Amino acid sequence: MRSTTLSLTLLSLLHLSAGQPHHHHAHRHHARKDPIPKRDKITVTDTAHTTTTEVPEVVVYVDQHNRPIRTATETVVYVPASAETPKAPAPTTTTTVFAPSLSSKVVPVEQSASSTSLSSNSSTFKHVSTFEPIPTPIRSKSSRTTSHPSASSLPSPPPSPPVSGGGALHGVTYSPYKGAGGCKSAADVDKDFALVAKDYGVIRLYGVDCDQVATAYAAAKKHGNKLFLGIFDINSVEQAVSTMAAGVNHDWSIVDTVSVGNELVNNGGATVSQSLAALSQARTALRAAGYQGPVVIVDTFVAILAHPELCDQSDYCAANIHPFFDPNTGAHQAGSFVTSIVGKIRSKLADKSKRIVVTETGWPWQGEANGAAVPGMDQQSAALSSIKSAYADNASDVILFTAFNDMWKKPAAATFMAEQFWGMGGRYSPVDE
């Protein structure tokens, strides 16, 4: 199937144009504070159907700047083009919707008091999404340069290096910050690794501050892990590569992947062309420093569906996917939600056989409910079990979020007061106990 961008004009969506992602501390999930009312039905004129058909769709609402606002599972009614009724004049505010097919199963038609009319300019459309992103380490941010080549002017990536992964263990994300503030020491990092190393293959970092590359390298070397390193500030690529090289003592064999940015396009921190330019710059600098492994851009799947070139130019596709931020997805559905999204991403890639790695996914064990997505220890266990089951045959293609509770973050209503409590099994780092 193909994806289609639809224009939705609704009086009830007038307030969405003001919705903007909130910028918080590093690696934080951003969510809209104001709830978006769920519609009974969305009607789509579709020439591919000969009879009126209803299916559940995961719809991503975005504002007039094409920034994701929220996702919701809606009932979408496909109406044959011949049955289309004249449209009444629409309000002036327009909101774009990505309407991904959740499944191909036709559901029974239910009566509804209201419906919304959409017009599709393509016979089929799909694409699932969750929307929320995840943070980035606390640090001062330099002003971003704007003199970057456009995406179309960038050279095609060289043949991909041997891809990473292939192990029997999942990966896990890790942050080197103390809940009370400041950086964890080498001893602190070693204690953390000692608790999780045996359960995970790759440990994902996000930046190069706090001497985290050197301390994680020593711990990974000791405990037998690989590292997924990250360049957080794409305005300091050369400096970050230099810090990485020194941090691993030029022993690149321990490095599984290097990422460039984290959800920058989704959060408005960089344009697509800026991200692609940084990717090219990082790949060149890393190759010169002796690293021959994968270099990727990490962004949310919403950003990737809208801009698949982020994956096409990367050595593999790296997407953050968080089922908890879909209010219609329960914990037991987390695995099927993630794999459904991965399938939609694959359909957008130039190379349909390209490796796709879920670089963040998980479930909080404490916080406020987001519709059907309810935090809790039992719910987290169910969600993680669902995700692991979905990736039983390719565990290394999913990185779980996160190793320990992030007590250095601040709770916020926008993220359901769950920001600090994504540590699997409710685990705290020894330094925060």
Side-chain angles (χ1 to χ4, degrees):
M1 292 187 295
R2 301 183 302 276
S3 63
T4 298
T5 301
L6 308 178
S7 292
L8 173 63
T9 51
L10 278 174
L11 183 60
S12 62
L13 288 182
L14 288 175
H15 68 284
L16 292 188
S17 62
Q20 303 293 337
H22 300 282
H23 297 280
H24 300 293
H25 290 302
H27 313 313
R28 180 153 296 153
H29 305 265
H30 305 292
R32 228 187 112 70
K33 293 183 179 179
D34 300 327
I36 294 175
K38 180 176 176 62
R39 278 152 213 49
D40 292 327
K41 293 180 182 179
I42 296 175
T43 302
V44 178
T45 301
D46 188 351
T47 58
H49 288 78
T50 58
T51 59
T52 300
T53 306
E54 288 192 11
V55 294
E57 304 282 1
V58 180
V59 179
V60 181
Y61 295 95
V62 300
D63 63 14
Q64 75 272 29
H65 302 298
N66 203 37
R67 295 190 180 105
I69 294 294
R70 191 72 167 178
T71 59
T73 302
E74 308 281 10
T75 298
V76 177
V77 182
Y78 293 90
V79 178
S82 59
E84 183 179 3
T85 57
K87 298 180 179 62
T92 56
T93 300
T94 298
T95 301
T96 301
V97 176
F98 291 95
S101 294
L102 193 59
S103 71
S104 58
K105 180 179 180 181
V106 178
V107 300
V109 176
E110 298 177 354
Q111 296 300 318
S112 173
S114 64
S115 64
T116 300
S117 179
L118 291 174
S119 178
S120 171
N121 57 8
S122 175
S123 60
T124 55
F125 58 89
K126 57 176 182 189
H127 284 323
V128 208
S129 31
T130 59
F131 122 82
E132 330 296 332
I134 301 182
T136 50
I138 300 174
R139 69 193 63 204
S140 60
K141 298 180 181 178
S142 58
S143 57
R144 300 189 183 280
T145 58
T146 57
S147 57
H148 292 281
S150 66
S152 60
S153 67
L154 291 173
S156 298
S160 297
V163 295
S164 61
L169 296 176
H170 307 89
V172 68
T173 63
Y174 177 77
S175 297
Y177 310 110
K178 295 180 179 180
C183 303
K184 292 179 180 178
S185 67
D188 295 330
V189 173
D190 183 69
K191 288 178 182 178
D192 286 346
F193 272 57
L195 292 174
V196 301
K198 69 180 185 301
D199 297 320
Y200 303 99
V202 172
I203 311 293
R204 182 186 173 194
L205 308 179
Y206 290 82
V208 298
D209 60 332
C210 277
D211 201 28
Q212 62 181 287
V213 176
T215 57
Y217 170 75
K221 198 79 170 173
K222 176 180 177 180
H223 297 285
N225 300 101
K226 292 268 193 174
L227 295 177
F228 182 125
L229 301 181
I231 298 173
F232 172 69
D233 185 357
I234 65 170
N235 294 308
S236 302
V237 169
E238 300 286 346
Q239 180 181 350
V241 170
S242 177
T243 300
M244 286 179 182
V248 299
N249 294 322
H250 294 273
D251 176 16
W252 294 109
S253 65
I254 203 169
V255 179
D256 177 270
T257 299
V258 176
S259 64
V260 181
N262 185 63
E263 301 182 347
L264 293 179
V265 173
N266 183 86
N267 296 342
T271 64
V272 173
S273 61
Q274 286 172 338
S275 290
L276 293 174
L279 174 71
S280 179
Q281 181 186 9
R283 186 184 283 120
T284 298
L286 286 161
R287 297 290 181 261
Y291 173 69
Q292 301 299 318
V295 185
V296 302
I297 292 172
V298 173
D299 220 302
T300 64
F301 79 93
V302 174
I304 290 169
L305 290 176
H307 305 285
E309 60 269 34
L310 295 173
C311 279
D312 291 337
Q313 293 285 337
S314 295
D315 291 327
Y316 63 75
C317 184
N320 291 346
I321 303 172
H322 286 280
F324 175 75
F325 289 101
D326 185 328
N328 300 290
T329 297
H332 66 286
Q333 300 169 308
S336 60
F337 190 78
V338 170
T339 55
S340 177
I341 290 172
V342 168
K344 307 309 179 185
I345 292 174
R346 187 171 301 286
S347 71
K348 297 281 283 185
L349 301 181
D351 177 3
K352 300 297 189 287
S353 65
K354 194 162 196 170
R355 184 187 181 205
I356 300 175
V357 175
V358 179
T359 40
E360 284 183 7
T361 191
W363 199 272
W365 62 271
Q366 183 173 310
E368 297 174 350
N370 174 29
V374 179
M377 292 296 289
D378 290 343
Q379 289 83 353
Q380 185 192 64
S381 178
L384 294 175
S385 176
S386 177
I387 293 167
K388 290 179 179 179
S389 177
Y391 279 83
D393 295 330
N394 53 332
S396 61
D397 283 348
V398 64
I399 298 176
L400 300 173
F401 186 88
T402 181
F404 301 98
N405 295 317
D406 288 322
M407 304 314 295
W408 54 276
K409 297 180 181 178
K410 301 299 182 184
T415 52
F416 307 99
M417 307 303 288
E419 191 66 30
Q420 299 169 310
F421 306 112
W422 290 69
M424 286 175 287
R427 178 177 277 164
Y428 288 84
S429 169
V431 75
D432 291 329
E433 290 181 331

